[in-house]
Structures are given as C-alpha cells and as structure tokens.
Amino acid sequence: MTSGPSLPLLECQLQPFEVRDSPPAAGCYPSWVNQYSAPGGQVWLSIARLGRGYLFHFPGLADFTWNPPAGPVACFPAPRASPSTLLHLYRNQVAPMLAAGQGHLIFHASAVVLPGGALAFLGAAGLGKSTLTASFSRSGARFLADDCLMLAEEGDQVSAWPGLPGLRLWPDSARLLAVAFPRRSPKLRFEAAEVHLPTCEVPAPLRAVYLLAGPSSAISIAPLAGAAAFAALSRHAFRLDPTDHPRLRAEFHAIASIAARPLLYRLAFPRDFSLLSAVRQAILAHLSTLPPCSQIE
C-alpha cells in the first residue's frame, strides 16, 4: 500500500472482520431497509438497521453485522461457506456499502489509468468491466480498481481512487488474457502482482466513464448527459440505506454534480473475444478526441 492521502474504500476493504459461530436466528431479523435482487428476482442481499449499525444478510452464505462502537465487522458464515467466499462478500459488498454509508461515492465500476487520466467501465455484472480492465492493463495501462470504484470531486476535476490491487475473471476471460486458471472454477480473483499487471496506487483524474450496454452487432460510443447520465450513475452506485434521507440527498447531489460534467459515454460492442482489441482501439480513438482532464468542467 501507499502512504499519503486517506483511501476510504481501500482502507475499509482491508479492515479485518471476525468470524463467529452463532448467527442471529432468521426470525429475529429486523425489517429490511434495502435489498438487492438478481435479474430473475431472487434476493441475494438484504440490509437491516442494527442498533447504530447494520446487518447484511446473504442468503445461504453468511450474515455480517456492523454495530459501532462494538468493534470490527462480525461474520456469521453458513456451514458450507468457504473462507474465500466470506472474504469476497466482505471486500466486494459489505466494505463498499459501509464506505458509501460514510458519505463516499462508490460505484460498480472498474478502472485503469492511461497517460491522459483514468477511464472507468460502469455497468451490471457480466457485461465485461473486468475483461476490458484486464485487457487495457495487459496492453500497458495501469490497473486502478475492479468492480468497486470510488469517485470524488476535487476542485475542477473528478478523481478516481485506487481499490484492491486485483480483479475477478471468468475462465474464458482469463484464458484470453493468458491468465492460468488453477482448476475448473467459477469466477476467481487474481492479485495484480500474481498476473503481472501494473498498478496505480494514487488517485488519478477521471477522463471518461463508459457505461457498458448489452450485446451489439457493432462497436459504438455515444455521449450520455443530463437525466440519462444521472440515472446511469445512480443505478450503479453502492447504496447502504435508502431510508437515511439526509445521506441520500447528499449522494444524489454529488452524483448530479458529476453527471453534469461531459464524462459519461455509452459503449456498445459485440460479445466476441476476437474483437476485444478492436473495442480497445475504438475507446482509445474516442479518448483522443476528448479534452485534457484539466479542461473538463
């Protein structure tokens, strides 16, 4: 890690949590203040208030509780939950939610840093954020974050902040990028050093955010502005507690301020790994038409 300015998301992700034996009884769960569902409608995360803190319920996997000032986050795993699953749930879901609840803007986005600034890929799971990030990093860009990206307005620019130095890939993406999968497995996390990806350990000025669209027959990039830009950012933000109205108003104000800048673009491309280089070149060509970060207002 690096010294220097505070890294709220990264510090939160690196905090230890305690594994305990006796989770709350299902009938004792308080009412949920927030829930996240898969495309088919199945709820995979429910969040409830717990004293001054919160309870995170991942059905069939684990419960996490955070109740300051009692100490670190506590984890109550299901019998078959592996240590790697618990670590993933904490670092990629619980920690970003807690950072968002503390007033930071955290998005489901991945990012790399080029000489002109950071570019981010925003979107739902499975659309290619990690694959594009790994592809750019393999081609010389510096890895910044995967799936959890913190953005902050700082003066006349928006800064993209580093996350954990690693990314998660499905087997087909890993093979394409010459990353060896140790076994038949679902999506696995690879440390940046393990797969020899250059990293950026300090905030970088944000050059552009690409909202990944569904499969398309051709590569296209179009600007997003106004309500469309606000909706894209808001839809993909980590949000701890929508019933915390002061925090929600502050979040929407911050998102609206970023959405008002000419930073967001819709990116559509065919889901064909043989065209990945062409997608990367199209993005680079588009970036070459944009003003330097210092001129983005």
Side-chain angles (χ1 to χ4, degrees), residues 32-52:
W32 308 120
V33 297
N34 201 4
Q35 290 187 304
Y36 289 85
S37 302
Q42 183 178 9
V43 175
W44 58 268
L45 169 61
S46 297
I47 302 173
R49 285 186 179 272
L50 186 67
R52 293 174 56 190

Side-chain angles (χ1 to χ4, degrees), residues 47 54 57 89 174 182 202 236 250 257 281 284:
I47 302 173
Y54 290 89
H57 174 58
L89 291 176
V202 295
H236 297 294
S257 183
Q281 292 304 315
L284 291 173

Side-chain angles (χ1 to χ4, degrees), residues 4 9 63 66 68 115 146 160 166 219 223 240 250 260 267:
L9 172 60
D63 289 342
W66 177 70
D146 181 44
I219 302 169
L240 176 63
L267 170 63

